[in-house]
Amino acid sequence: MENELTSNFDVIVLGTDPEPVGLLKEGEELSALSLPNSLYDGVKYQWHVPEEEEVSSETQNPDEGGATASDDAVQGSRNVTGEAKKNLGSKKSLVNCNRKFNIDLAPKILFSRGALVELLISSNVARYVEFKCITRVLTWVDEQNGGNPSGGKLVVVPCSRSDVFTTDVISLVEKRLLMKFLEFCYLHEKNKEEWADFADKPFKEFLESRDLTPKLIHFITSAIGMVDEEANTEEGLRKTSLFLNSLGRYGSMPFLFTLFGSGEMPQAFCRLCAVFEGIYMLRRSVEYVIIKEGMFCGIASEGERFTGEHLVMDCGL
């Protein structure tokens, strides 16, 4: 019964081991796919917190006899110190609280007006996924002392009008410069003549031409536009504009993330596929594509052959 259900598909959606024997017909050949899972072979994890809570020796009971009221006060303060150290974390405490937090090993944040969010809405896949809005964007700012970095701190990036005028991490002059530049980016397509000469030049060079300070340039490139130093001006303005256009759609920040991790996204599309009578084969990798005269004939997986008319796959494979 299983073979009848899975032997023929109109569309095969991929997700990739020994070379199949006896599966090829005359004139057919195999095209091996890359093995993305092999990149993670032999991975080990290591805890960077102690196995058990480390209780300071200061929390131990004092020697019996001779204790006074002042000794009790000192002992009480030491117990508080010990509790603070105890709450720093351990493997045991984290495992016991593992249902209170979620760590996404492949985080994916979405722009509120990005292409993927628009696809989720138009395809109704969004109804299968729960989202949260990111509430703050932070960046690391080095503190300079005589030209030498003396440390740094995380600061909230001012990216909306209200943030710009309430923040204390930039001066009043910088606030005006930043606000003026963000308004320019919002309508940069209508003012193309102002940046056309810098289109293929580094974005940082264009920012410097707008008299922006190094701190503002850092905010724009690292936290708002999110581009590297090699990005050109056209790319930088486009990404900055996407950030600004996404503000306020679902919250004060432009980013959304799936409440239960990035794995919710393929699961949601899988559910929609099932609504339209699609079939998914879980826990089965695709190892080879079967080709005849340059045309797709089927796939080989775990010693079995599956035929189909179309193949949808990641171009990186």
Side-chain angles (χ1 to χ4, degrees):
M1 185 64 180
E2 182 180 353
N3 290 335
E4 293 178 2
L5 288 175
T6 61
S7 60
N8 289 278
F9 295 98
D10 291 330
V11 178
I12 300 173
V13 182
L14 293 191
T16 5
D17 285 328
E19 183 171 335
V21 178
L23 298 183
L24 297 182
K25 299 178 181 179
E26 184 178 355
E28 295 180 344
E29 59 182 8
L30 296 174
S31 176
L33 298 178
S34 63
L35 301 174
N37 292 335
S38 65
L39 298 176
Y40 306 103
D41 288 347
V43 172
K44 298 180 180 179
Y45 68 86
Q46 177 182 355
W47 289 85
H48 295 275
V49 292
E51 187 79 20
E52 301 278 349
E53 287 91 347
E54 294 181 355
V55 180
S56 172
S57 59
E58 295 176 352
T59 64
Q60 301 298 325
N61 292 328
D63 295 335
E64 295 182 359
T68 63
S70 60
D71 292 335
D72 293 339
V74 172
Q75 181 62 28
S77 65
R78 288 175 176 174
N79 285 336
V80 172
T81 303
E83 285 299 319
K85 292 183 178 180
K86 185 176 180 180
N87 292 332
L88 288 178
S90 67
K91 178 179 178 180
K92 183 177 179 180
S93 62
L94 287 173
V95 171
N96 290 339
C97 299
N98 63 355
R99 296 181 65 85
K100 295 183 178 180
F101 59 87
N102 178 37
I103 299 176
D104 194 343
L105 300 180
K108 175 70 174 179
I109 60 174
L110 311 176
F111 279 104
S112 297
R113 295 193 183 276
L116 183 53
V117 169
E118 299 298 338
L119 174 62
L120 293 172
I121 295 172
S122 61
S123 63
N124 287 327
V125 172
R127 61 186 174 180
Y128 300 112
V129 192
E130 293 183 59
F131 295 92
K132 291 279 286 183
C133 185
I134 292 177
T135 56
R136 294 187 300 170
V137 177
L138 298 94
T139 186
W140 183 265
V141 175
D142 289 327
E143 295 179 351
Q144 299 293 324
N145 182 13
N148 297 318
S150 60
K153 59 182 179 180
L154 278 175
V155 299
V156 178
V157 178
C159 46
S160 65
R161 181 182 292 273
S162 60
D163 290 341
V164 170
F165 288 107
T166 57
T167 184
D168 58 356
V169 299
I170 56 178
S171 66
L172 182 59
V173 174
E174 288 177 317
K175 291 180 181 181
R176 292 174 179 171
L177 288 172
L178 179 59
M179 198 65 235
K180 184 177 179 180
F181 181 76
L182 293 181
E183 290 175 351
F184 165 79
C185 289
Y186 190 79
L187 301 172
H188 77 283
E189 287 291 347
K190 297 181 180 180
N191 303 309
K192 193 169 183 178
E193 67 280 355
E194 296 188 34
W195 56 271
D197 294 339
F198 289 88
D200 297 324
K201 296 180 180 179
F203 188 38
K204 185 177 181 180
E205 184 177 328
F206 174 71
L207 297 177
E208 291 172 346
S209 72
R210 307 285 296 191
D211 298 325
L212 298 178
T213 64
K215 183 181 289 186
L216 295 182
I217 292 175
H218 172 72
F219 283 162
I220 293 169
T221 56
S222 300
I224 299 178
M226 297 185 181
V227 294
D228 54 37
E229 295 182 355
E230 299 178 356
N232 59 37
T233 300
E234 185 173 7
E235 179 186 1
L237 289 174
R238 176 175 54 81
K239 291 188 175 181
T240 303
S241 178
L242 175 60
F243 183 102
L244 297 173
N245 278 283
S246 297
L247 287 169
R249 187 178 191 184
Y250 298 112
S252 58
M253 288 290 104
F255 299 117
L256 298 173
F257 70 96
T258 48
L259 186 59
F260 300 104
S262 301
E264 288 291 288
M265 299 298 293
Q267 178 176 259
F269 281 98
C270 177
R271 290 178 179 177
L272 186 67
C273 176
V275 171
F276 292 94
E277 301 181 357
I279 299 174
Y280 268 74
M281 291 190 296
L282 303 178
R283 297 187 178 184
R284 179 182 285 271
S285 60
V286 177
E287 297 140 12
Y288 299 91
V289 176
I290 302 173
I291 300 174
K292 182 178 182 179
E293 298 179 356
M295 300 296 292
F296 168 73
C297 298
I299 60 173
S301 174
E302 299 180 9
E304 295 184 77
R305 174 191 177 114
F306 301 91
T307 60
E309 296 180 3
H310 305 283
L311 178 67
V312 180
M313 61 183 290
D314 184 349
C315 60
L317 299 177

